[in-house]
Amino acid sequence: MEQGNQGIYVRRSSGLMREISGSHALAINIMGAGFFYAILNVMWGAALFPGANLAISALIGMILNLPISFLYFYFTVIMPRSGGDYIWMSRSLHPAVGFILNLGIVFSNVIIIGADVVWAFKYALGPAFYILGLITGNSVYFSVSQVFNSSIVIALTIVIWVIILGFIFTRRPKLLGRVILSLFIFALITIIIYIISNLVLANTTFINNFNKYSGMNYNNLISLGSSRGYPMVTLASATLFSTVYTFLEYEGITFSAYYGGELKNVQKSAFLSIVISTILLGVIIVAIYASTYYAFGFGFIQTIAMISQTGDPAWKLPFIPFTTVLWMFWNPVIGFIVILGFVIAMFAAMSSYLFVSTRSIFAYSFDRILPSWFAKVSKTGSPYTSSIFITILAVITGLLYIYTPAFEYLLYTADLMLIPFAVVGAIAIFFPFKKKEIFENAPDFIKKKVWKIPVLSIIGVLALGSSLFAIVSSFVPTFGGVIDPISIVYTFSIYIVGLVIYIIAHYYRKAKGLPLEYSFKEVPPL
Amino acid sequence: MKIRILFASDIHASEITFRKFLNAYRIYKADYLVYGGDLTGKAVVPIFRVENHRYKATFLNQNIEIDETNLGNLLSKIANAGYYGFVTDKSEWDNLINNPEKLQKVLIDLMVDRVQNWLNLIEEKLPEMKGKGRIFIIPGNDDTYEIDKLLNNSEFVINPDGKVVNLDGEHEMLGISNANITPWKCYRDIEEKEIEKKIDNLASKITSLNKSIFLIHVPPFNSNIDMAPKLDEHFRPEVSPMGGIVTVPVGSISVRTAIEKYQPMLGLHGHIHESRGAIKIGKTLCINPGSEYGEGILRAAIIDIKEDKVKDYVFISS
């Protein structure tokens, strides 16, 4: 019996329901990538790539990311399944490759949970109250500021928020979509306020208040920077090098691929949430960088970024001066609104990371790599067991992040996302020829050719090039800084873990009678 | 002795999906091929002859115009999606539209043709199956009774509908093609009491219930493999205040009661395409492989059984 008519309601048979709309997917992806990270990157990027103009760099980053976005959009339409590139790689290459590489993505998504709360508290709320204390002279604000630096407060917040998310994940996917869309709208409004304020308000108030309350002088700092040779203008080479950095700001924009099995109107939703989102995110990020340089001055940003992150005594405040925080000197009301937006964005990002991770766990279980318990679906269409598992895992990793140095060596986690991009790019090149049946059944626009070459193959070449650029750059000292072998081993050990899990699943299933590989076989028509 | 069953259901006339089903039998080295009902499709796609040996059709919301050389390709695409392409002209089609009985006859003829072609395909591609009693196909509630004759006359296929059949001397299987009443009042929708009577009658003929298989098109009620959108009076899915589609169990209460009462080793079901899954009711493992025939995707389950146990099972999708 078929329920409903074509066009009214479509549901796939994994048990997960297609009820995530394009707008919800857009919000999940953009918050996963996170435009507010640009606020952090202004300072970090200036210290890593002195003289780099991150506005230009982010624009180049967007252009380099577009082939990957198109690649993931195409594959989401061709194979709209939970697990995204896990499904594509496991069906096109080998189940072990799909599983191991996708597990790396889950790993990188889950371990960042602790960092998001730390950043929200230590880089935004704590400093904001500290500056309020400076401005008002009220010591209560300094005490409040200390609260946000407290490990127990951070740990409790992680646990509470992750548990709330876990609860939301076990409800209808639509509920999560609505929650993240609300957070996205709030964050978007606050960043628009930030950008417009940067552009239209004269910075004399900021300079006056900064000079009055920070214990430093705006012009003196610029002079100091200039005397030390910090770049006061954009340097083309630094800008070019920094593209590897801004390139990573788009990681997350392909998230809807991982819940492709739940997207309503796949073509439209995937295009909106992956391709359009990439452009929208790019516009926002570029605007953040450009307006920040305009408001605070390029030379000032370069100088305070360097001295605040190198322990230079010339920097008097006990925190890195992210520009949301600097706004507290300028206008505490606008400052607080933007900081709230920043905090909300961090919490929304956590939601996106964990949400897509639940879908990968579900997909592994559905293919019997993990026990079937992980693929249980509630009557409301929620993969509740994988959600419970990810919730517990996120609580553990969050606490490990706060209380142990366990994740100090995970410098290359970005590569865990980039490597699947490259592999999917390589798959795309040959897909029209090797997987003819699936390709021929795809919508007409996917089958288009240019000079007899499938567009998908061309996109594959471009995406492979982009991803390899970023991967290789992360291991080149000029781009990625000093190579840390311990971090490399530590980060990529997740692949060893994945291999071990796969081998165990392989032999267990074989011993039971139905080999694991049965789940991945292609059956051509007789 | 361990035996392996390949089970699928609700292919609804999709040519490519049925061909995959037959091929999967070999690829997965199954001992038995079992099909859980709904062989036939639901719609005729008219392909109009126009001038200069050209043809026009509207298929999947696309207006198509082709020449004669591409007609076979279009018919094949339509068949793969589970529809019946019907080459006609405007006046003949208008006449059929105004005469629903004639149109219904056309549809039934197309259904019968497709099923006959599939039986011929089995004969051609799996000649070694002749008289072996390894392929079991029951109709489903959407299937017209005209196809039963074809299934019953085949030397390659056994139609276990309304019967108890023996698989390997150890395992018996009862078959029921009916469903409880659906909003669409399909060919084989019957009242719950009738389903109950049918199951009771067949179950009484089974020697070892703990080693038996219930091949019943409709899944048991409230089993998680019978969840479908709740429909309003216009057959539109109801939306919850939170904006989600409201789903409700729509399986058969009689099937549920029978499974709880007789506790067969295995229940094989279909009917609800969206509700792929497996669930234990007492000692009985009930499986619905789901269906995505419209996309040409084969959804099936491979099940290994030994004595009175389901040793392992896996859902496949291709």
Side-chain angles (χ1 to χ4, degrees), chain A residues 160-175:
Chain A
I160 291 168
W161 180 237
V162 169
I163 288 173
I164 290 171
L165 285 177
F167 175 76
I168 293 172
F169 293 159
T170 58
R171 317 312 295 169
R172 284 194 177 287
K174 185 140 191 157
L175 176 61

PDB file of all heavy atoms in Angstrom, chain A residues 160-175:
ATOM      1  N   ILE A 160      24.638  19.983  30.226  1.00  0.00           N
ATOM      2  CA  ILE A 160      23.212  20.359  30.139  1.00  0.00           C
ATOM      3  C   ILE A 160      22.803  20.562  28.680  1.00  0.00           C
ATOM      4  O   ILE A 160      21.787  20.031  28.230  1.00  0.00           O
ATOM      5  CB  ILE A 160      22.936  21.626  30.986  1.00  0.00           C
ATOM      6  CG1 ILE A 160      23.086  21.287  32.471  1.00  0.00           C
ATOM      7  CG2 ILE A 160      21.535  22.185  30.697  1.00  0.00           C
ATOM      8  CD1 ILE A 160      23.130  22.510  33.380  1.00  0.00           C
ATOM      9  N   TRP A 161      23.616  21.302  27.932  1.00  0.00           N
ATOM     10  CA  TRP A 161      23.231  21.587  26.544  1.00  0.00           C
ATOM     11  C   TRP A 161      23.217  20.309  25.701  1.00  0.00           C
ATOM     12  O   TRP A 161      22.311  20.091  24.884  1.00  0.00           O
ATOM     13  CB  TRP A 161      24.151  22.640  25.926  1.00  0.00           C
ATOM     14  CG  TRP A 161      23.816  22.985  24.496  1.00  0.00           C
ATOM     15  CD1 TRP A 161      24.646  22.904  23.437  1.00  0.00           C
ATOM     16  CD2 TRP A 161      22.567  23.479  23.974  1.00  0.00           C
ATOM     17  NE1 TRP A 161      24.007  23.304  22.284  1.00  0.00           N
ATOM     18  CE2 TRP A 161      22.724  23.654  22.579  1.00  0.00           C
ATOM     19  CE3 TRP A 161      21.317  23.756  24.542  1.00  0.00           C
ATOM     20  CZ2 TRP A 161      21.705  24.123  21.752  1.00  0.00           C
ATOM     21  CZ3 TRP A 161      20.299  24.224  23.716  1.00  0.00           C
ATOM     22  CH2 TRP A 161      20.490  24.399  22.342  1.00  0.00           C
ATOM     23  N   VAL A 162      24.206  19.446  25.916  1.00  0.00           N
ATOM     24  CA  VAL A 162      24.252  18.195  25.140  1.00  0.00           C
ATOM     25  C   VAL A 162      23.042  17.324  25.478  1.00  0.00           C
ATOM     26  O   VAL A 162      22.452  16.699  24.595  1.00  0.00           O
ATOM     27  CB  VAL A 162      25.589  17.450  25.380  1.00  0.00           C
ATOM     28  CG1 VAL A 162      25.531  16.041  24.809  1.00  0.00           C
ATOM     29  CG2 VAL A 162      26.737  18.212  24.737  1.00  0.00           C
ATOM     30  N   ILE A 163      22.666  17.303  26.739  1.00  0.00           N
ATOM     31  CA  ILE A 163      21.497  16.492  27.115  1.00  0.00           C
ATOM     32  C   ILE A 163      20.219  17.088  26.499  1.00  0.00           C
ATOM     33  O   ILE A 163      19.357  16.359  26.004  1.00  0.00           O
ATOM     34  CB  ILE A 163      21.387  16.364  28.654  1.00  0.00           C
ATOM     35  CG1 ILE A 163      22.503  15.428  29.151  1.00  0.00           C
ATOM     36  CG2 ILE A 163      20.021  15.822  29.069  1.00  0.00           C
ATOM     37  CD1 ILE A 163      22.638  15.338  30.650  1.00  0.00           C
ATOM     38  N   ILE A 164      20.120  18.421  26.506  1.00  0.00           N
ATOM     39  CA  ILE A 164      18.962  19.049  25.847  1.00  0.00           C
ATOM     40  C   ILE A 164      18.943  18.670  24.360  1.00  0.00           C
ATOM     41  O   ILE A 164      17.915  18.294  23.811  1.00  0.00           O
ATOM     42  CB  ILE A 164      19.004  20.588  26.010  1.00  0.00           C
ATOM     43  CG1 ILE A 164      18.734  20.965  27.472  1.00  0.00           C
ATOM     44  CG2 ILE A 164      17.986  21.275  25.092  1.00  0.00           C
ATOM     45  CD1 ILE A 164      18.972  22.440  27.785  1.00  0.00           C
ATOM     46  N   LEU A 165      20.125  18.735  23.754  1.00  0.00           N
ATOM     47  CA  LEU A 165      20.202  18.363  22.337  1.00  0.00           C
ATOM     48  C   LEU A 165      19.810  16.907  22.137  1.00  0.00           C
ATOM     49  O   LEU A 165      19.066  16.565  21.214  1.00  0.00           O
ATOM     50  CB  LEU A 165      21.622  18.585  21.803  1.00  0.00           C
ATOM     51  CG  LEU A 165      22.028  20.025  21.545  1.00  0.00           C
ATOM     52  CD1 LEU A 165      23.481  20.090  21.097  1.00  0.00           C
ATOM     53  CD2 LEU A 165      21.135  20.676  20.498  1.00  0.00           C
ATOM     54  N   GLY A 166      20.312  16.058  23.023  1.00  0.00           N
ATOM     55  CA  GLY A 166      19.976  14.637  22.938  1.00  0.00           C
ATOM     56  C   GLY A 166      18.468  14.438  22.977  1.00  0.00           C
ATOM     57  O   GLY A 166      17.910  13.647  22.219  1.00  0.00           O
ATOM     58  N   PHE A 167      17.806  15.187  23.855  1.00  0.00           N
ATOM     59  CA  PHE A 167      16.346  15.098  23.943  1.00  0.00           C
ATOM     60  C   PHE A 167      15.707  15.546  22.626  1.00  0.00           C
ATOM     61  O   PHE A 167      14.811  14.890  22.099  1.00  0.00           O
ATOM     62  CB  PHE A 167      15.839  15.969  25.106  1.00  0.00           C
ATOM     63  CG  PHE A 167      14.332  16.029  25.174  1.00  0.00           C
ATOM     64  CD1 PHE A 167      13.600  14.957  25.658  1.00  0.00           C
ATOM     65  CD2 PHE A 167      13.654  17.159  24.718  1.00  0.00           C
ATOM     66  CE1 PHE A 167      12.210  15.010  25.695  1.00  0.00           C
ATOM     67  CE2 PHE A 167      12.271  17.212  24.755  1.00  0.00           C
ATOM     68  CZ  PHE A 167      11.546  16.139  25.240  1.00  0.00           C
ATOM     69  N   ILE A 168      16.217  16.665  22.090  1.00  0.00           N
ATOM     70  CA  ILE A 168      15.656  17.180  20.825  1.00  0.00           C
ATOM     71  C   ILE A 168      15.873  16.163  19.695  1.00  0.00           C
ATOM     72  O   ILE A 168      14.986  15.920  18.886  1.00  0.00           O
ATOM     73  CB  ILE A 168      16.305  18.540  20.456  1.00  0.00           C
ATOM     74  CG1 ILE A 168      15.897  19.602  21.483  1.00  0.00           C
ATOM     75  CG2 ILE A 168      15.891  18.990  19.057  1.00  0.00           C
ATOM     76  CD1 ILE A 168      16.645  20.930  21.325  1.00  0.00           C
ATOM     77  N   PHE A 169      17.062  15.545  19.688  1.00  0.00           N
ATOM     78  CA  PHE A 169      17.356  14.574  18.625  1.00  0.00           C
ATOM     79  C   PHE A 169      16.407  13.377  18.662  1.00  0.00           C
ATOM     80  O   PHE A 169      16.173  12.750  17.637  1.00  0.00           O
ATOM     81  CB  PHE A 169      18.786  14.039  18.752  1.00  0.00           C
ATOM     82  CG  PHE A 169      19.846  15.076  18.492  1.00  0.00           C
ATOM     83  CD1 PHE A 169      21.134  14.890  18.967  1.00  0.00           C
ATOM     84  CD2 PHE A 169      19.578  16.220  17.765  1.00  0.00           C
ATOM     85  CE1 PHE A 169      22.127  15.834  18.728  1.00  0.00           C
ATOM     86  CE2 PHE A 169      20.557  17.173  17.528  1.00  0.00           C
ATOM     87  CZ  PHE A 169      21.832  16.982  18.021  1.00  0.00           C
ATOM     88  N   THR A 170      15.922  13.046  19.860  1.00  0.00           N
ATOM     89  CA  THR A 170      15.043  11.878  19.928  1.00  0.00           C
ATOM     90  C   THR A 170      13.605  12.230  19.563  1.00  0.00           C
ATOM     91  O   THR A 170      12.750  11.366  19.514  1.00  0.00           O
ATOM     92  CB  THR A 170      15.042  11.239  21.345  1.00  0.00           C
ATOM     93  OG1 THR A 170      14.626  12.243  22.276  1.00  0.00           O
ATOM     94  CG2 THR A 170      16.410  10.718  21.720  1.00  0.00           C
ATOM     95  N   ARG A 171      13.333  13.502  19.333  1.00  0.00           N
ATOM     96  CA  ARG A 171      12.004  13.913  18.858  1.00  0.00           C
ATOM     97  C   ARG A 171      12.039  13.947  17.331  1.00  0.00           C
ATOM     98  O   ARG A 171      12.999  13.518  16.704  1.00  0.00           O
ATOM     99  CB  ARG A 171      11.592  15.297  19.404  1.00  0.00           C
ATOM    100  CG  ARG A 171      11.874  15.553  20.850  1.00  0.00           C
ATOM    101  CD  ARG A 171      11.425  14.440  21.778  1.00  0.00           C
ATOM    102  NE  ARG A 171       9.991  14.248  21.808  1.00  0.00           N
ATOM    103  CZ  ARG A 171       9.373  13.224  22.375  1.00  0.00           C
ATOM    104  NH1 ARG A 171      10.081  12.267  22.939  1.00  0.00           N
ATOM    105  NH2 ARG A 171       8.068  13.136  22.382  1.00  0.00           N
ATOM    106  N   ARG A 172      11.036  14.540  16.732  1.00  0.00           N
ATOM    107  CA  ARG A 172      11.014  14.634  15.272  1.00  0.00           C
ATOM    108  C   ARG A 172      12.176  15.489  14.764  1.00  0.00           C
ATOM    109  O   ARG A 172      12.484  16.513  15.374  1.00  0.00           O
ATOM    110  CB  ARG A 172       9.705  15.290  14.830  1.00  0.00           C
ATOM    111  CG  ARG A 172       8.526  14.374  14.917  1.00  0.00           C
ATOM    112  CD  ARG A 172       7.361  14.965  14.164  1.00  0.00           C
ATOM    113  NE  ARG A 172       6.239  14.061  14.186  1.00  0.00           N
ATOM    114  CZ  ARG A 172       6.162  12.939  13.494  1.00  0.00           C
ATOM    115  NH1 ARG A 172       7.145  12.590  12.704  1.00  0.00           N
ATOM    116  NH2 ARG A 172       5.109  12.170  13.573  1.00  0.00           N
ATOM    117  N   PRO A 173      12.789  15.116  13.628  1.00  0.00           N
ATOM    118  CA  PRO A 173      13.873  15.935  13.076  1.00  0.00           C
ATOM    119  C   PRO A 173      13.422  17.367  12.820  1.00  0.00           C
ATOM    120  O   PRO A 173      14.215  18.297  12.880  1.00  0.00           O
ATOM    121  CB  PRO A 173      14.192  15.231  11.748  1.00  0.00           C
ATOM    122  CG  PRO A 173      13.718  13.831  11.931  1.00  0.00           C
ATOM    123  CD  PRO A 173      12.553  13.901  12.862  1.00  0.00           C
ATOM    124  N   LYS A 174      12.140  17.531  12.578  1.00  0.00           N
ATOM    125  CA  LYS A 174      11.616  18.874  12.311  1.00  0.00           C
ATOM    126  C   LYS A 174      11.825  19.804  13.510  1.00  0.00           C
ATOM    127  O   LYS A 174      12.029  21.012  13.350  1.00  0.00           O
ATOM    128  CB  LYS A 174      10.125  18.753  11.997  1.00  0.00           C
ATOM    129  CG  LYS A 174       9.499  20.039  11.584  1.00  0.00           C
ATOM    130  CD  LYS A 174       8.520  19.818  10.458  1.00  0.00           C
ATOM    131  CE  LYS A 174       8.117  21.144   9.880  1.00  0.00           C
ATOM    132  NZ  LYS A 174       7.627  21.046   8.533  1.00  0.00           N
ATOM    133  N   LEU A 175      11.759  19.225  14.708  1.00  0.00           N
ATOM    134  CA  LEU A 175      11.937  20.044  15.913  1.00  0.00           C
ATOM    135  C   LEU A 175      13.354  20.624  15.940  1.00  0.00           C
ATOM    136  O   LEU A 175      13.543  21.820  16.203  1.00  0.00           O
ATOM    137  CB  LEU A 175      11.674  19.203  17.166  1.00  0.00           C
ATOM    138  CG  LEU A 175      11.921  19.900  18.505  1.00  0.00           C
ATOM    139  CD1 LEU A 175      11.013  21.116  18.672  1.00  0.00           C
ATOM    140  CD2 LEU A 175      11.724  18.941  19.670  1.00  0.00           C
TER     141      LEU A 175
END
